[in-house]
Amino acid sequence: MRIARRSTRSVGRFALLAATAAAGLSVVAVTVPGVAGAAPRHQARPTIVLEHGAFADASSWDGVVSRLQRDGYPVVAAANPLRGPATDAAYLRSVVEHIDGPVVLVGHSYGGTVISQAAAGLENKVKALVYIAAFLPDTGESSLGLTDKFPGSTLGQAIESVNYTLPDGGQGADVYIKPDKFHQQFAADVPADKARLMAAGQRPIAAAALQEKSTAAAWKTIPSWSLVTTQDRNIPAAAQRFMSARAHARTTEIDASHAVSVSHPGAVTRVVEQAARSLR
């Protein structure tokens, strides 16, 4: 009975098409996805993975996340352990490998060091790298070494180190920006009330992480974009320009502090979406 009903409908459709054609009217062919001859489906948008840097957390991307989601992009604002490039890159790599489809990796500040190492060997998945006021280290370079390569950073006068005991009895050290220095040092163009909240919730970075040398530079094989912050007191603009030029990154400059994802989320989003659109 089920087969008979299908046949009746099919006959009815063909009769209707024939009658329409006979009347001199045009017939529109309808294609169905998955059927031979069907129109190709639009490529899915890449997932944007955002990696924060030192003295921040994933909430520093909130303004960027909301804009990307509004524009239809899937987004992951990953947590950064801030223990060292090898450890942090391995963690981020595990996040990326569990995402279906293409990925655009975005790193802020020390997060640039992390994405450069995490994306190495993942060229089939990570299609673009975006550096936001970030480090683009080469193999054998450290974040601290690149900061000191050019004058202009005042971070050394604004931080404090706090020692802690490791499980094996050894000693480690975490680095914070002093709360009374945070606004001017890290987020000078962010409203004072917001900067105070950021200072209270800042994530420390292991002192050793800033001196640990990178073992890979994915920007050598993956297209990259860079947003240079010209009023940056953490990573001098000259250092950012040097690294961006060396990586042949498509570079934009903005008159902003190091906390550009908070103070200018629209500008950051535009650079990220430029990279994402290049995948189509």
Side-chain angles (χ1 to χ4, degrees):
M1 293 297 293
R2 202 172 284 168
I3 294 174
R5 280 199 295 271
R6 261 188 209 144
S7 298
T8 301
R9 283 200 298 269
S10 298
V11 171
R13 284 197 196 97
F14 283 116
L16 178 60
L17 290 171
T20 303
L25 301 177
S26 60
V27 180
V28 179
V30 178
T31 57
V32 180
V35 178
R41 300 176 68 181
H42 291 296
Q43 180 180 349
R45 295 195 173 197
T47 299
I48 312 297
V49 178
L50 306 165
E51 182 80 331
H52 67 83
F55 320 118
D57 62 15
S59 69
S60 63
W61 294 112
D62 283 354
V64 177
V65 171
S66 63
R67 286 165 172 79
L68 289 170
Q69 289 180 334
R70 181 190 62 200
D71 292 343
Y73 289 94
V75 185
V76 175
N80 189 344
L82 300 173
R83 299 298 88 188
T87 297
D88 301 338
Y91 179 81
L92 180 60
R93 190 181 181 95
S94 71
V95 172
V96 170
E97 288 176 335
H98 280 81
I99 294 173
D100 291 331
V103 168
V104 173
L105 265 184
V106 184
H108 172 246
S109 190
Y110 165 79
T113 297
V114 178
I115 69 171
S116 295
Q117 193 155 318
L122 294 181
E123 291 83 2
N124 289 335
K125 174 173 282 289
V126 178
K127 300 301 183 179
L129 300 170
V130 183
Y131 297 88
I132 306 297
F135 293 110
L136 293 77
D138 200 349
T139 302
E141 294 179 336
S142 70
S143 299
L144 183 60
L146 286 165
T147 300
D148 293 343
K149 193 177 184 70
F150 296 88
S153 176
T154 57
L155 183 61
Q157 291 78 53
I159 59 175
E160 60 183 344
S161 181
V162 178
N163 293 330
Y164 61 91
T165 302
L166 296 166
D168 63 2
Q171 290 290 306
D174 272 348
V175 177
Y176 296 80
I177 296 179
K178 299 173 185 177
D180 62 331
K181 302 287 188 182
F182 191 93
H183 189 193
Q184 288 304 310
Q185 177 61 43
F186 193 86
D189 55 355
V190 173
D193 289 348
K194 176 64 175 176
R196 280 194 290 271
L197 292 175
M198 293 171 65
Q202 66 174 295
R203 293 273 311 284
I205 187 168
L210 297 174
Q211 301 177 61
E212 183 180 323
K213 294 180 179 179
S214 295
T215 59
W219 48 260
K220 292 182 177 181
T221 56
I222 299 174
S224 59
W225 281 254
S226 178
L227 182 63
V228 172
T229 43
T230 61
Q231 300 302 312
D232 201 311
R233 297 179 181 177
N234 275 31
I235 308 174
Q240 295 180 49
R241 292 183 184 116
F242 163 75
M243 292 182 284
S244 300
R246 181 178 63 179
H248 303 291
R250 298 160 180 83
T251 302
T252 304
E253 295 199 356
I254 184 171
D255 185 12
S257 74
H258 194 61
V260 63
S261 64
V262 179
S263 60
H264 297 279
V268 172
T269 302
R270 283 191 292 275
V271 174
V272 173
E273 292 191 355
Q274 286 172 11
R277 286 193 296 270
S278 75
L279 276 59
R280 299 177 187 175

